[in-house]
Amino acid sequence: PNRVYSAMGAGNDFVELVGVYSSGIIEMRGGQGGDTQRLVNVGAAGLIRVFGGAGNDTTFLSGVRAGNNIQLDGGADFDVWH
């Protein structure tokens, strides 16, 4: 796909992206609440953006590759990155 986009709403949500390659960008957005985002063996020709949003979020990154850059922003509150 040219773009992979995930947006979580309010609440404690979980999203996992495994083995996906985008010819454009990948963008993951947590919402308000304690969200968990997992990106495993993911790549993009452009950039990868991961935003936690408000709440105590947990983000796991393993084997993540971007042709341009990777932007990480935990948002408000206490966030954990692996």
Side-chain angles (χ1 to χ4, degrees), residues 47-69:
L47 60 93
I48 295 176
R49 294 181 180 140
V50 181
F51 300 102
N56 299 330
D57 306 309
T58 302
T59 303
F60 298 89
L61 304 172
S62 177
V64 176
R65 302 165 308 281
N68 190 345
N69 63 39

Side-chain angles (χ1 to χ4, degrees), residues 8-81:
M8 294 181 266
N12 299 331
D13 303 309
F14 175 85
V15 66
E16 183 174 53
L17 194 61
V18 178
V20 174
Y21 179 81
S22 171
S23 60
I25 69 169
I26 294 174
E27 185 169 332
M28 311 287 285
R29 290 188 171 269
Q32 185 174 6
D35 302 315
T36 300
Q37 301 181 88
R38 294 177 58 95
L39 288 82
V40 179
N41 297 331
V42 170
L47 60 93
I48 295 176
R49 294 181 180 140
V50 181
F51 300 102
N56 299 330
D57 306 309
T58 302
T59 303
F60 298 89
L61 304 172
S62 177
V64 176
R65 302 165 308 281
N68 190 345
N69 63 39
I70 299 174
Q71 299 173 356
L72 307 173
D73 184 347
D77 301 307
F78 184 78
D79 302 306
V80 178
W81 295 83

